[in-house]
Amino acid sequence: MTAHSATLAIDEAVRARRAAGLATLHLGFGEAGLPVAPGLTEVLAASAGRSGYGPVVGSPEAREAAAGWFGRRGLATEPEQVLFAPGSKPLLFALLAALEGDVVLPRPSWVSYTAQAALLGRRVIEVPIPADAGGIPAPELLELSLRRAEAAGARPGVLVLTVPDNPTGTVADEQRIASVLAVAARRGLTVISDEIYAELGHRGPVPSPATLGWEQTVVTSGLSKSLAVGGWRVGFARLPAGPWGRRLGERLTGIASEIWSSLAAPMQAVAVHALREPPEITAYVTRARQLHARVAEAAHTRLVAAGARCRPPRGGFYLYPDFAPVGRPLRARGVTTSAALATTLLERHGVAALPGSAFGDPASTLTLRIATGLLYGETERDRLAALASPEPEGLPWIDAALRHLGDALAAVTARPGAQPRDAVARAADVVPD
Ligand code: PLP
């Protein structure tokens, strides 16, 4: 049996702590904590009466809107290449089920790829990421890892890429993605390009692996992150044109028909509206992107100040610090694994983050996944103010959260004997809860 997804489990742990009156800074959950974009609630309300099932693949209007959306991003797409689902997570699972072979993953990578592969009885072949950015395997290690895996009896069939990446919050560059795709093409690996964060590149558009020439590349995306409506569960996939893509589409449709039947009809209306990109949607995404970038950058500054090594954030709302440079003081406190580091931060300093071990790193690697998307405020008013602010990191509640993080990090990484006691004490009372 698969354990409860680590990201959902920590969200529940934080809820339980808060319910018990314990101040907790929530850096554990990959949610864009923002209000619904203007216009979407009205569209949803107006379509609440649509109660029929509808086509498994999605309504013709939704497929048309998604095709146009991809087209505007340099990926010419026919509506027949698009398939909708209640979130991209079930689509990823259905894709793995529809495709053959073992699953090649960058390490670290998002928690659910490994869990989904395990549910399907597939082996996972992990390949370390490059030093500068995650979401792809280091190109120079890929071929060797595949050969080793095959020698051990694996049958690599699918390679999953994440651009921009969760957990590292980085964007792999086009040249490296192209090198990885060249190996995939040579080996006949199908590429699943998870682009759920593609709208949130901090420096503008990010390279889509699907534009780089390997035709067996499937893109998954959705509205959960860019429009902060994860709970509405709108996901979609773009299959390649041509006979191979059509055959995959038929298999996927078969799986979808047996599992989710169709995306909820009112959500299809939401997708049509959002994917046609009226100006207020575009403006919302632009502001959200700036907010994520600035707050992730401010958290990055705190992490580096505490002595962690951390790739600068370039997409989404994540950071993946490695505390190896301050391993000594951590070890002196009995912290020798990423799980122990996460537990210490949560139980002693009220900071919830996920251990790197949840993303495939060896237990003793002192990495954490920090998600900054829930720092924007507890109320709709605060979140709107964060979205509108040119300097959101200076808003009192975001500043307090960042100070809480900085103080907690200072406390766990200080040399023993030099424990900044006042900082620890302060950490407990600044939490916006
Ligand atoms: N892919 C990645 C890398 C994610 O981080 C997430 C959500 O956390 C998803 C896919 C799933 O998103 P959804 O099912 O909401 O579309």
Side-chain angles (χ1 to χ4, degrees), residues 44-145:
L44 182 57
S47 50
R50 295 192 194 176
S51 53
Y53 279 107
V56 173
V57 286
S59 69
E61 297 78 18
R63 296 175 95 195
E64 176 91 46
W69 185 88
F70 279 116
R72 290 191 292 283
R73 283 151 182 80
L75 271 175
T77 304
E78 294 299 324
E80 294 67 39
Q81 290 171 251
V82 176
L83 198 140
F84 277 86
S88 64
K89 199 187 244 187
L91 265 174
L92 287 161
F93 184 73
L95 275 164
L96 292 181
L99 294 163
E100 286 183 4
D102 293 322
V103 182
V104 186
L105 295 179
R107 188 186 74 216
S109 59
W110 181 49
V111 289
S112 292
Y113 305 136
T114 306
Q116 292 190 349
L119 285 170
L120 290 164
R122 307 290 174 78
R123 288 197 204 189
V124 165
I125 301 150
E126 293 178 335
V127 187
I129 60 173
D132 55 336
I136 62 164
E140 65 280 9
L141 300 179
L142 180 55
E143 187 75 60
L144 181 67
S145 306

Side-chain angles (χ1 to χ4, degrees), residues 7 30-31 86-90 92 110 113 162 164-167 194 196-197 220-225 229-231 233-236 318 369:
T7 53
E31 178 157 342
S88 64
K89 199 187 244 187
L92 287 161
W110 181 49
Y113 305 136
T162 319
D165 180 40
N166 172 12
D194 181 343
I196 190 83
Y197 297 99
T220 58
S221 189
L223 306 185
S224 297
K225 311 298 178 177
V229 288
R233 313 303 302 127
V234 182
F236 51 94
Y318 300 110
R369 203 284 309 263

Side-chain angles (χ1 to χ4, degrees), residues 278-316:
E280 66 277 13
I281 292 289
T282 311
Y284 174 96
V285 176
T286 303
R287 286 205 307 274
R289 182 186 299 131
Q290 287 162 357
L291 172 62
H292 297 316
R294 287 196 75 110
V295 175
E297 191 64 52
H300 180 258
T301 304
R302 306 277 170 156
L303 291 161
V304 173
R309 195 162 49 213
C310 189
R311 298 172 183 88
R314 293 285 181 262

Side-chain angles (χ1 to χ4, degrees), residues 322-416:
D322 183 351
F323 290 82
V326 282
R328 236 170 142 177
L330 287 173
R331 275 193 299 277
R333 289 186 174 79
V335 173
T336 55
T337 62
S338 62
L341 179 55
T343 304
T344 301
L345 279 170
L346 182 60
E347 291 178 357
R348 302 196 52 173
H349 305 285
V351 173
L354 285 177
S357 54
F359 300 85
D361 266 346
S364 61
T365 307
L366 293 171
T367 44
L368 288 180
R369 203 284 309 263
I370 304 276
T372 51
L374 288 180
L375 296 185
Y376 307 142
E378 294 296 314
T379 63
E380 172 109 354
R381 211 174 108 215
D382 285 355
R383 290 171 165 195
L384 279 172
L387 203 52
S389 171
E391 288 180 16
E393 68 282 10
L395 292 170
W397 56 95
I398 299 181
D399 180 54
L402 290 166
R403 277 191 295 117
H404 182 172
L405 172 64
D407 289 346
L409 293 172
V412 288
T413 59
R415 282 195 319 278

